[in-house]
Amino acid sequence: MSRALSSPERVSESTRLRIDEAVRVTGYTPNQSARSLRQKTARTILVALPDIGNPFFSAILDSIEREASMRGYGVLVANRFSAEDSGRRMRDYFLSNRVDGLLLFDGAVDLAQLMLLTGDPTPVPLVVVCEQIAAAPFHTVRTDNCYAAECATRYLIELGHLRIGHIRGPVNNVLTGEREAGFRKAMGDAALTVREDWLFWGSFDMDAGYAAGLRFAALKDRPTAVFAANDESAIGFLSALHRHGITCPGDVSLVGFDDLEIAAHTQPPLTTMRQPREALGRIAAGALIDVIEGQRKSRLPMNMVLSSELIIRDSTARAPALFEAALMLPHA
Ligand code: RIB
């Protein structure tokens, strides 16, 4: 029965029909652990996250799990991957045959360790998701972070804002660099100055956004709009504004990045760049399983870039007209 279920093409049509009927009557389900032992595969993929506390990952994990389970795979999750001896953890998972492949969301992982795992003669199936690992030949599924950040900033400029600040992500993070580059590109194209005192360091979390908001509140000369590198920082920033009686969008317009579920329920609801999280998870999991099962025809690394979408809500408004116009006047 088990051979007929795992390789239906190898049995005759009449046998297959009899087996289908037996499965229906008995409610038989194959024992996956026994099958894994025999085939020396775990039928499990590992998802390595930088911060499971960021709700950005929930919708992605949901679609990874759906796709994996549809194809007969389970999912393990490892958190704070690059922060805690990622090399040893990766080796542990793979050498003990607990997983067949890795979906890596953490671009800060030790590249040398990764190359050891992915190099010949027994390369480990790997897809890098959301982040990118520069100059490394890995399959990648991500959004166009630089262009999306440029569009978010351009939207603020189209609203008439000429004084725009930016809350960055963590230092040495590839997404921080790409989103800041997009911000700078839009500012440069509009011949607007990027002021160092309006660039706030963050770490993709609410506390850092809140700290950026406190620094913003302490400024004598403030920007009229801010582009935050992700929603969590934008939400922390809003909270600090509220504490200091600064209104959004009255005193400052704000755009985030991600479109978390909560972005529609903040006060005010947050304008943000939506990343296609369901598609990111589904496509990445599907691609990884294709690699594990040897179904990818090309040996070249896949580089799939998905588009994001600007979701306009109430945290953005036209720039205060008189103020911006006065700034445009030549100095006396
Ligand atoms: O890893 C944290 C951030 O990276 C998320 O908020 C999201 O923007 C992702 O791309």
Side-chain angles (χ1 to χ4, degrees):
M1 177 185 280
S2 131
R3 182 158 66 116
L5 288 173
S6 58
S7 315
E9 71 286 352
R10 294 171 60 194
V11 297
S12 70
E13 176 70 6
S14 63
T15 307
R16 199 175 53 72
L17 289 175
R18 272 190 296 117
I19 297 289
D20 283 352
E21 179 58 11
V23 165
R24 198 185 60 74
V25 171
T26 60
Y28 171 85
T29 52
N31 181 333
Q32 210 55 260
S33 331
R35 178 186 277 184
S36 300
L37 277 177
R38 275 197 310 278
Q39 297 179 346
K40 287 206 172 36
T41 67
R43 291 196 78 80
T44 303
I45 58 177
L46 176 64
V47 180
L49 300 176
D51 175 13
I52 204 170
N54 184 343
F56 171 74
F57 295 111
S58 59
I60 298 186
L61 277 173
D62 183 48
S63 62
I64 290 174
E65 205 277 328
R66 278 166 196 271
E67 181 68 20
S69 119
M70 237 168 53
R71 295 187 58 176
Y73 283 73
V75 176
L76 285 183
V77 176
N79 192 31
R80 303 207 176 286
F81 211 61
S82 63
E84 289 170 19
D85 196 357
S86 51
R88 180 191 54 74
R89 289 169 79 193
M90 281 190 289
R91 279 193 305 278
D92 283 355
Y93 278 109
F94 284 100
L95 295 181
S96 59
N97 282 328
R98 284 159 70 200
V99 295
D100 305 318
L102 173 61
L103 284 181
L104 181 63
F105 284 79
D106 197 333
V109 76
D110 186 315
L111 182 58
Q113 299 285 350
L114 212 51
M115 295 303 276
L116 275 182
L117 270 183
T118 55
D120 283 337
T122 49
V124 157
L126 167 72
V127 174
V128 178
V129 202
C130 292
E131 308 223 355
Q132 246 178 310
I133 300 183
F138 303 134
H139 300 297
T140 305
V141 180
R142 63 192 178 92
T143 46
D144 186 346
N145 288 282
C146 182
Y147 181 66
E150 182 187 335
C151 294
T153 311
R154 203 182 312 126
Y155 175 64
L156 291 169
I157 296 169
E158 283 162 9
L159 287 174
H161 294 278
L162 306 173
R163 301 155 56 82
I164 307 176
H166 174 48
I167 307 172
R168 294 154 152 161
V171 188
N172 292 334
N173 177 289
V174 67
L175 300 177
T176 300
E178 288 187 6
R179 293 177 194 169
E180 183 173 338
F183 166 75
R184 286 180 181 274
K185 164 92 170 48
M187 295 292 278
D189 287 352
L192 297 177
T193 309
V194 173
R195 276 180 46 171
E196 285 300 316
D197 56 336
W198 293 348
L199 290 177
F200 308 95
W201 275 116
S203 55
F204 285 150
D205 64 21
M206 284 189 253
D207 285 348
Y210 187 84
L214 295 184
R215 288 202 299 283
F216 175 91
L219 287 171
K220 294 235 158 16
D221 184 27
R222 295 176 186 151
T224 64
V226 167
F227 163 53
N230 78 341
D231 283 358
E232 279 223 53
S233 5
I235 292 166
F237 187 79
L238 271 180
S239 159
L241 294 186
H242 183 70
R243 190 186 172 104
H244 284 269
I246 301 169
T247 63
C248 173
D251 297 319
V252 59
S253 281
L254 180 64
V255 180
F257 199 105
D258 286 346
D259 196 27
L260 303 180
E261 283 75 7
I262 198 176
H265 303 281
T266 52
Q267 203 45 255
L270 187 65
T271 295
T272 185
M273 219 9 126
R274 173 181 291 167
Q275 295 205 62
R277 293 186 290 153
E278 188 279 330
L280 280 166
R282 176 172 39 80
I283 293 171
L288 179 65
I289 294 171
D290 285 349
V291 175
I292 292 170
E293 297 184 346
Q295 289 184 30
R296 265 193 65 78
K297 301 226 164 39
S298 165
R299 291 183 67 86
L300 293 175
M302 166 186 88
N303 183 15
M304 185 167 292
V305 183
L306 308 182
S307 317
S308 28
E309 181 192 359
L310 181 67
I311 305 296
I312 298 174
R313 299 199 180 95
D314 300 343
S315 66
T316 42
R318 290 207 66 76
L322 284 175
F323 183 55
E324 296 290 348
L327 285 169
M328 300 291 284
L329 290 175
H331 293 295

